[in-house]
Amino acid sequence: QVLLEESGGGSVQAGGSLRLACAVSGRTISGYPMGWFRRAPGKEREFVATISRLSSTTNYADSVKGRFTISRDNAKNTVYLQMNSLKPEDTAVYYCAAGRTLYGRVSYTADDYNPWGQGTQVTVSS
């Protein structure tokens, strides 16, 4: 069974930083792209960032570009999301997801990812 466990969420003031981690068990992540998505209250789930298998490619949503950084440590089977200059509109539940296809390409589409973690809450106050 493949499990993804997010950690690092919490409450911060605008302008602050958080670092999310996603620890994966039951699968070696080195063969898969990884992604972060989020769901804000009353809104649909949206893409945040993705990273290729060997970290050669990263892509970000326009809303977080320049503020968030996705990275991975395949030796630790863990993916990270460094979030700086946080804004109240970043408030959401953040989900980590593993690419559905071995040796697949990075994707903005949630359907290209499975399995998913349970999510971690990030709250940014003004």
Side-chain angles (χ1 to χ4, degrees):
Q1 182 182 7
V2 181
L3 294 176
L4 286 73
E5 184 173 5
E6 301 96 338
S7 61
S11 298
V12 295
Q13 290 190 328
S17 298
L18 285 173
R19 188 192 195 205
L20 306 183
C22 173
V24 183
S25 60
R27 173 194 285 183
T28 300
I29 68 170
S30 60
Y32 298 86
M34 299 292 294
W36 286 96
F37 290 74
R38 67 186 182 187
R39 186 191 300 273
K43 296 187 177 181
E44 294 187 353
R45 181 175 52 189
E46 65 174 357
F47 166 78
V48 175
T50 182
I51 187 167
S52 60
R53 298 186 296 118
L54 301 180
S55 304
S56 58
T57 300
T58 57
N59 289 315
Y60 299 90
D62 288 343
S63 59
V64 306
K65 202 171 293 183
R67 301 187 297 120
F68 290 13
T69 302
I70 188 172
S71 62
R72 63 193 294 163
D73 185 337
N74 288 340
K76 295 182 178 180
N77 235 34
T78 301
V79 181
Y80 305 95
L81 185 68
Q82 177 67 45
M83 305 186 296
N84 298 328
S85 302
L86 283 161
K87 304 175 181 180
E89 50 264 44
D90 294 319
T91 295
V93 177
Y94 284 72
Y95 299 91
C96 171
R100 185 183 295 274
T101 305
L102 182 62
Y103 304 131
R105 303 177 68 176
V106 295
S107 171
Y108 304 92
T109 305
D111 287 345
D112 290 332
Y113 293 87
N114 185 57
W116 293 72
Q118 293 299 306
T120 185
Q121 176 71 46
V122 171
T123 302
V124 185
S125 59
S126 58

Coordinates of all heavy atoms in Angstrom, one line a residue, residues 45-91:
R45 N -10.2 22.2 -6.2 CA -8.8 21.9 -6.0 C -8.0 22.5 -7.2 O -8.5 22.4 -8.3 CB -8.6 20.4 -6.0 CG -7.2 19.9 -5.9 CD -7.2 18.4 -5.7 NE -7.9 17.7 -6.8 CZ -8.2 16.4 -6.8 NH1 -7.8 15.6 -5.9 NH2 -8.8 15.9 -7.9
E46 N -6.9 23.0 -6.9 CA -6.1 23.6 -8.0 C -4.6 23.2 -7.9 O -4.1 22.9 -6.8 CB -6.2 25.2 -7.9 CG -5.6 25.8 -6.7 CD -5.5 27.3 -6.7 OE1 -5.9 27.9 -7.7 OE2 -5.1 27.9 -5.7
F47 N -4.0 23.2 -9.0 CA -2.6 22.9 -9.2 C -1.7 23.9 -8.5 O -2.0 25.1 -8.6 CB -2.2 22.7 -10.6 CG -0.8 22.7 -10.9 CD1 0.0 21.6 -10.7 CD2 -0.1 23.9 -11.4 CE1 1.3 21.6 -11.0 CE2 1.2 23.9 -11.7 CZ 2.0 22.7 -11.5
V48 N -0.7 23.5 -7.8 CA 0.3 24.4 -7.2 C 1.7 24.3 -7.8 O 2.2 25.3 -8.3 CB 0.4 24.2 -5.7 CG1 1.5 25.1 -5.1 CG2 -1.0 24.4 -5.0
A49 N 2.2 23.1 -7.8 CA 3.6 22.9 -8.3 C 3.8 21.4 -8.7 O 3.1 20.5 -8.1 CB 4.6 23.3 -7.3
T50 N 4.7 21.2 -9.6 CA 5.1 19.8 -9.9 C 6.6 19.7 -10.2 O 7.2 20.7 -10.5 CB 4.3 19.3 -11.2 OG1 4.7 18.0 -11.4 CG2 4.6 20.2 -12.4
I51 N 7.2 18.5 -10.0 CA 8.6 18.3 -10.2 C 8.8 17.0 -10.9 O 8.1 16.0 -10.5 CB 9.3 18.4 -8.8 CG1 10.8 18.4 -9.0 CG2 8.8 17.3 -7.9 CD1 11.6 18.8 -7.8
S52 N 9.7 17.0 -11.8 CA 10.0 15.7 -12.5 C 10.8 14.8 -11.7 O 11.3 15.1 -10.6 CB 10.8 16.1 -13.8 OG 12.0 16.7 -13.5
R53 N 11.0 13.6 -12.2 CA 11.6 12.5 -11.4 C 13.0 12.9 -10.8 O 13.3 12.5 -9.7 CB 11.8 11.2 -12.3 CG 10.6 10.6 -12.8 CD 10.9 9.3 -13.6 NE 11.7 9.5 -14.7 CZ 13.0 9.0 -14.8 NH1 13.5 8.3 -13.9 NH2 13.7 9.2 -15.9
L54 N 13.8 13.5 -11.7 CA 15.2 13.8 -11.2 C 15.4 15.3 -11.0 O 16.5 15.8 -11.0 CB 16.1 13.3 -12.3 CG 16.1 11.8 -12.6 CD1 17.1 11.4 -13.7 CD2 16.3 11.0 -11.3
S55 N 14.3 16.0 -10.8 CA 14.3 17.4 -10.4 C 14.7 18.3 -11.5 O 15.0 19.5 -11.3 CB 15.2 17.7 -9.2 OG 14.7 16.9 -8.1
S56 N 14.8 17.8 -12.8 CA 15.3 18.7 -13.9 C 14.2 19.7 -14.3 O 14.5 20.7 -14.9 CB 15.7 17.8 -15.0 OG 14.6 17.0 -15.5
T57 N 13.0 19.4 -14.0 CA 11.9 20.2 -14.5 C 10.9 20.5 -13.3 O 10.6 19.6 -12.5 CB 11.0 19.6 -15.6 OG1 11.8 19.3 -16.7 CG2 9.9 20.5 -16.0
T58 N 10.7 21.8 -13.1 CA 9.6 22.2 -12.1 C 8.7 23.2 -12.8 O 9.1 24.0 -13.6 CB 10.3 22.9 -10.9 OG1 11.1 24.0 -11.3 CG2 11.1 21.9 -10.1
N59 N 7.4 23.1 -12.4 CA 6.4 24.0 -12.9 C 5.6 24.5 -11.8 O 5.3 23.8 -10.9 CB 5.6 23.4 -14.0 CG 6.3 23.1 -15.3 OD1 7.0 24.0 -15.8 ND2 6.2 22.0 -15.9
Y60 N 5.1 25.8 -11.9 CA 4.3 26.4 -10.8 C 3.1 27.0 -11.4 O 3.1 27.5 -12.5 CB 5.1 27.4 -10.1 CG 6.4 26.8 -9.5 CD1 7.6 26.8 -10.1 CD2 6.3 26.4 -8.2 CE1 8.7 26.3 -9.5 CE2 7.5 25.9 -7.5 CZ 8.7 25.8 -8.3 OH 9.8 25.3 -7.7
A61 N 2.1 27.1 -10.6 CA 0.9 28.0 -10.9 C 1.4 29.4 -10.9 O 2.2 29.8 -10.1 CB -0.2 27.7 -9.9
D62 N 0.8 30.2 -11.7 CA 1.1 31.6 -11.8 C 1.0 32.3 -10.4 O 1.8 33.2 -10.1 CB 0.3 32.4 -12.8 CG 0.7 32.0 -14.2 OD1 1.8 31.4 -14.4 OD2 -0.1 32.2 -15.2
S63 N 0.0 31.9 -9.7 CA -0.3 32.5 -8.4 C 0.8 32.3 -7.3 O 0.9 33.1 -6.3 CB -1.6 32.0 -7.8 OG -1.6 30.6 -7.7
V64 N 1.7 31.3 -7.5 CA 2.7 31.0 -6.5 C 4.1 31.2 -7.1 O 5.1 31.1 -6.3 CB 2.5 29.6 -5.9 CG1 1.1 29.4 -5.4 CG2 2.9 28.5 -6.9
K65 N 4.2 31.4 -8.4 CA 5.5 31.5 -9.0 C 6.3 32.6 -8.4 O 5.9 33.7 -8.1 CB 5.3 31.8 -10.5 CG 6.5 31.4 -11.4 CD 6.1 31.5 -12.8 CE 5.1 30.5 -13.2 NZ 4.7 30.5 -14.7
G66 N 7.6 32.3 -8.0 CA 8.5 33.3 -7.4 C 8.4 33.3 -5.9 O 9.2 33.9 -5.2
R67 N 7.4 32.6 -5.4 CA 7.2 32.6 -3.9 C 7.4 31.1 -3.3 O 7.8 31.0 -2.2 CB 5.8 33.1 -3.5 CG 5.6 34.5 -3.9 CD 4.3 35.1 -3.3 NE 3.1 34.3 -3.8 CZ 2.3 33.7 -3.0 NH1 2.5 33.7 -1.7 NH2 1.2 33.1 -3.5
F68 N 6.9 30.2 -4.1 CA 7.0 28.8 -3.7 C 8.1 28.0 -4.5 O 8.3 28.3 -5.6 CB 5.7 28.1 -4.0 CG 4.5 28.5 -3.1 CD1 4.6 29.6 -2.3 CD2 3.3 27.8 -3.1 CE1 3.5 30.0 -1.5 CE2 2.3 28.1 -2.3 CZ 2.4 29.3 -1.5
T69 N 8.7 27.0 -3.8 CA 9.7 26.2 -4.4 C 9.4 24.7 -4.1 O 9.4 24.4 -2.9 CB 11.1 26.6 -4.0 OG1 11.3 28.0 -4.3 CG2 12.1 25.7 -4.7
I70 N 9.3 23.9 -5.1 CA 9.1 22.5 -4.9 C 10.5 21.8 -5.1 O 11.3 22.2 -5.9 CB 8.1 21.9 -5.9 CG1 7.8 20.4 -5.6 CG2 8.5 22.1 -7.4 CD1 6.6 19.9 -6.4
S71 N 10.7 20.8 -4.3 CA 12.0 20.1 -4.3 C 11.7 18.6 -3.9 O 10.6 18.3 -3.4 CB 13.1 20.7 -3.5 OG 12.7 20.7 -2.1
R72 N 12.7 17.8 -4.1 CA 12.5 16.4 -3.7 C 13.8 15.8 -3.3 O 14.9 16.2 -3.8 CB 11.9 15.6 -4.9 CG 12.7 15.5 -6.1 CD 11.9 14.9 -7.3 NE 11.5 13.5 -7.0 CZ 10.5 12.9 -7.7 NH1 9.8 13.6 -8.6 NH2 10.3 11.6 -7.5
D73 N 13.8 14.8 -2.4 CA 14.9 14.1 -2.0 C 14.6 12.6 -2.2 O 13.9 12.0 -1.4 CB 15.3 14.4 -0.6 CG 16.6 13.7 -0.1 OD1 17.0 12.7 -0.7 OD2 17.2 14.2 0.9
N74 N 15.0 12.1 -3.4 CA 14.6 10.7 -3.7 C 15.2 9.7 -2.7 O 14.6 8.6 -2.4 CB 15.0 10.3 -5.1 CG 14.1 11.1 -6.1 OD1 13.0 11.5 -5.8 ND2 14.6 11.2 -7.4
A75 N 16.3 10.0 -2.1 CA 16.9 9.1 -1.2 C 16.1 9.0 0.1 O 16.1 8.0 0.8 CB 18.3 9.6 -0.8
K76 N 15.4 10.1 0.4 CA 14.5 10.1 1.6 C 13.1 9.8 1.2 O 12.2 9.8 2.1 CB 14.6 11.4 2.3 CG 16.0 11.7 2.9 CD 16.0 13.0 3.7 CE 17.4 13.3 4.3 NZ 17.4 14.6 5.1
N77 N 12.8 9.6 -0.1 CA 11.4 9.4 -0.5 C 10.5 10.5 -0.1 O 9.4 10.2 0.4 CB 10.9 8.0 -0.1 CG 10.5 7.2 -1.2 OD1 11.0 7.2 -2.3 ND2 9.4 6.4 -0.9
T78 N 11.0 11.7 -0.2 CA 10.2 12.9 0.4 C 10.2 14.0 -0.6 O 11.2 14.3 -1.3 CB 10.8 13.3 1.7 OG1 10.8 12.2 2.6 CG2 10.0 14.5 2.3
V79 N 9.1 14.7 -0.7 CA 8.9 15.9 -1.5 C 8.6 17.1 -0.6 O 7.9 16.9 0.4 CB 7.8 15.7 -2.6 CG1 7.7 16.9 -3.5 CG2 8.1 14.5 -3.4
Y80 N 9.1 18.3 -1.0 CA 8.9 19.4 -0.2 C 8.3 20.6 -1.0 O 8.4 20.6 -2.2 CB 10.3 19.9 0.3 CG 11.1 18.9 1.1 CD1 12.0 18.1 0.4 CD2 10.9 18.7 2.4 CE1 12.8 17.1 1.1 CE2 11.6 17.7 3.1 CZ 12.5 16.9 2.4 OH 13.2 16.0 3.1
L81 N 7.7 21.5 -0.2 CA 7.2 22.7 -0.8 C 7.5 23.8 0.1 O 6.9 24.0 1.2 CB 5.6 22.6 -1.0 CG 5.0 23.8 -1.8 CD1 5.5 23.9 -3.2 CD2 3.5 23.8 -1.7
Q82 N 8.5 24.6 -0.3 CA 8.9 25.8 0.5 C 8.0 27.0 0.1 O 8.0 27.3 -1.1 CB 10.4 26.1 0.3 CG 10.8 27.4 1.0 CD 10.8 27.3 2.5 OE1 11.3 26.2 3.0 NE2 10.3 28.3 3.2
M83 N 7.3 27.5 1.0 CA 6.3 28.6 0.7 C 6.8 29.9 1.5 O 6.8 29.9 2.7 CB 4.9 28.2 1.2 CG 4.5 26.9 0.6 SD 2.8 26.5 1.0 CE 2.9 26.3 2.8
N84 N 7.2 30.9 0.7 CA 7.6 32.2 1.2 C 6.6 33.3 0.9 O 5.8 33.1 -0.1 CB 9.0 32.5 0.7 CG 10.0 31.5 1.1 OD1 10.0 30.9 2.2 ND2 11.0 31.3 0.3
S85 N 6.7 34.4 1.5 CA 5.8 35.5 1.3 C 4.4 35.1 1.2 O 3.7 35.5 0.2 CB 6.3 36.2 -0.1 OG 7.6 36.6 0.0
L86 N 3.9 34.4 2.1 CA 2.6 33.9 2.1 C 1.6 35.0 2.2 O 1.8 36.0 2.8 CB 2.4 32.9 3.3 CG 3.0 31.5 3.0 CD1 3.2 30.7 4.3 CD2 2.2 30.7 2.0
K87 N 0.4 34.7 1.5 CA -0.7 35.7 1.4 C -1.9 35.0 2.0 O -2.0 33.8 2.0 CB -0.9 36.1 0.0 CG 0.3 36.6 -0.7 CD 0.0 36.9 -2.2 CE 1.2 37.5 -2.9 NZ 0.9 37.7 -4.4
P88 N -2.9 35.8 2.4 CA -4.1 35.2 2.9 C -4.8 34.3 1.9 O -5.4 33.3 2.2 CB -5.0 36.4 3.3 CG -4.0 37.5 3.6 CD -2.8 37.2 2.7
E89 N -4.7 34.6 0.6 CA -5.3 33.8 -0.4 C -4.6 32.5 -0.6 O -5.0 31.6 -1.4 CB -5.3 34.6 -1.8 CG -4.0 35.2 -2.2 CD -3.9 36.7 -1.8 OE1 -4.3 37.0 -0.6 OE2 -3.4 37.4 -2.6
D90 N -3.5 32.2 0.1 CA -2.8 30.9 0.0 C -3.4 30.0 1.0 O -3.1 28.8 1.1 CB -1.3 31.1 0.3 CG -0.5 31.8 -0.7 OD1 -0.8 31.6 -1.9 OD2 0.3 32.6 -0.3
T91 N -4.4 30.5 1.9 CA -5.0 29.6 2.8 C -5.8 28.5 2.1 O -6.6 28.7 1.2 CB -6.0 30.4 3.7 OG1 -5.3 31.4 4.5 CG2 -6.8 29.5 4.6

